[in-house]
Amino acid sequence: MSGESDVGRSTMNYYHNIEGEQISPMVLPAISIGGDALFALRQTMVSGTHALANLRVDYRPSEDGRRTIAQDGHSGPGIYACFWDRQLFYVGTFAGNDRPTNGNVARERWTKHIAGMTFRGHNVTIGERALAQIARGAPSALGTLLLDADRARISKTAGALQTHYAKFRFADRLWDDFSVLDTDMLTRFAFVFMRPSLHGRLAGMDKAALDSHLRAMERGIVTLLDPPCNGASPNGDGTPGPGMADTAQTMRQVMDAHLAAVQGDHPDYQLKPRRTRKM
């Protein structure tokens, strides 16, 4: 199972009751696992959106993966980081499926990230604005593939694996590897998942409200670490971010600070869910 030995072993902050007794950690122990323990790749006969968009990522955990899931669980809300060759490329949130304690982040998020960030998923798309940026840039093998594709298909906005220019820059930098991506190369993907303990003011919080807190923490982490595949990151050239241990440490620090303020009823952290637009 992949993951640096000190990931998830740092001292955790705890909630305390009025007597000062520890109640529970604000951030649960980190899950750290390699892609080869969770996924498999297979070529698909379905016509892809570009000439090398021919892969599906299947969620097929190995025995190691099953043990990790059984012990720690991939369900529930949290913040995750994705790595290639142990260097950060994306930070995301998972608020659960239907309700906060449901859903499997590996199956519902990480499969799509492998397929989309490598540009090898059969239904990967990229918008017209990004295609125009690619056309203005220096020629590259991946850029040529995308520009030669059927424009209506490659640029559809409702694609299940919709990407943007920052993700292209990352994949373009690593295209020598991604263009020959196979199952053995899944060992080069790794993931860290950290979940807040749903106690105190977070207990019973609905999914929309909890998602607001997760996204606030994500923004802080992205600002500090500049992962190349996050649209809000100032990282513009696709350079991979820090390693797993440094990333995990920053994630825990940002989450601890936010959750401590939430528990302390600090007004800046009383977030409200986004208003839904009436149809």
Side-chain angles (χ1 to χ4, degrees):
M1 185 165 58
S2 299
E4 297 183 11
S5 58
D6 54 351
V7 171
R9 292 186 180 180
S10 58
T11 302
M12 290 179 291
N13 290 335
Y14 284 78
Y15 298 149
H16 294 79
N17 61 20
I18 195 169
E19 288 81 20
E21 299 170 327
Q22 290 181 351
I23 301 173
S24 65
M26 288 191 287
V27 182
L28 299 175
I31 297 168
S32 177
I33 191 167
D36 56 318
L38 294 174
F39 309 116
L41 296 178
R42 60 186 172 99
Q43 290 197 354
T44 176
M45 301 304 294
V46 176
S47 178
T49 53
H50 65 78
L52 282 180
N54 63 350
L55 294 180
R56 291 184 184 270
V57 183
D58 295 323
Y59 177 68
R60 294 177 178 170
S62 67
E63 189 59 35
D64 281 347
R66 290 189 183 94
R67 283 200 295 269
T68 298
I69 292 169
Q71 180 179 353
D72 296 312
H74 286 163
S75 63
I79 299 177
Y80 58 84
C82 307
F83 302 84
W84 170 258
D85 283 345
R86 306 178 76 79
Q87 289 186 290
L88 178 69
F89 67 83
Y90 187 73
V91 172
T93 65
F94 184 65
N97 183 16
D98 297 327
R99 63 178 187 273
T101 55
N102 273 4
N104 183 316
V105 66
R107 180 177 58 238
E108 297 176 30
R109 290 286 193 277
W110 300 346
T111 54
K112 295 176 182 178
H113 293 328
I114 292 175
M117 305 299 183
T118 64
F119 276 76
R120 292 298 307 279
H122 76 282
N123 57 345
V124 66
T125 67
I126 190 166
E128 286 281 2
R129 182 177 177 182
L131 287 170
Q133 289 178 281
I134 294 169
R136 291 194 298 268
S140 69
L142 176 57
T144 298
L145 279 174
L146 299 179
L147 293 172
D148 287 348
D150 182 298
R151 187 57 63 97
R153 292 190 64 198
I154 195 69
S155 64
K156 63 179 181 179
T157 58
L161 295 176
Q162 187 176 354
T163 60
H164 49 70
Y165 187 67
K167 295 177 183 179
F168 163 77
R169 291 298 300 270
F170 171 72
D172 192 47
R173 175 181 285 269
L174 296 169
W175 191 243
D176 285 348
D177 290 323
F178 291 165
S179 64
V180 293
L181 190 67
D182 60 21
T183 296
D184 290 340
M185 295 171 75
L186 287 174
T187 60
R188 300 172 69 178
F189 287 99
F191 305 87
V192 169
F193 187 41
M194 291 189 186
R195 296 165 295 168
S197 179
L198 299 181
H199 290 266
R201 295 189 182 278
L202 296 185
M205 186 174 287
D206 66 32
K207 179 180 174 180
L210 186 60
D211 184 60
S212 294
H213 287 287
L214 292 172
R215 292 186 181 278
M217 291 183 278
E218 176 196 34
R219 287 193 295 272
I221 295 165
V222 168
T223 298
L224 292 172
L225 298 182
D226 293 348
C229 291
N230 284 77
S233 172
N235 183 337
D237 63 1
T239 307
M244 292 177 68
D246 289 342
T247 297
Q249 181 180 21
T250 298
M251 289 171 66
R252 187 173 296 282
Q253 289 171 344
V254 171
M255 293 176 72
D256 275 340
H258 182 97
L259 294 169
V262 170
Q263 296 303 316
D265 205 21
H266 192 287
D268 289 346
Y269 291 86
Q270 302 311 300
L271 303 181
K272 296 180 181 180
R274 299 175 181 174
R275 292 182 179 179
T276 56
R277 184 177 297 175
K278 294 183 179 180
M279 300 300 291

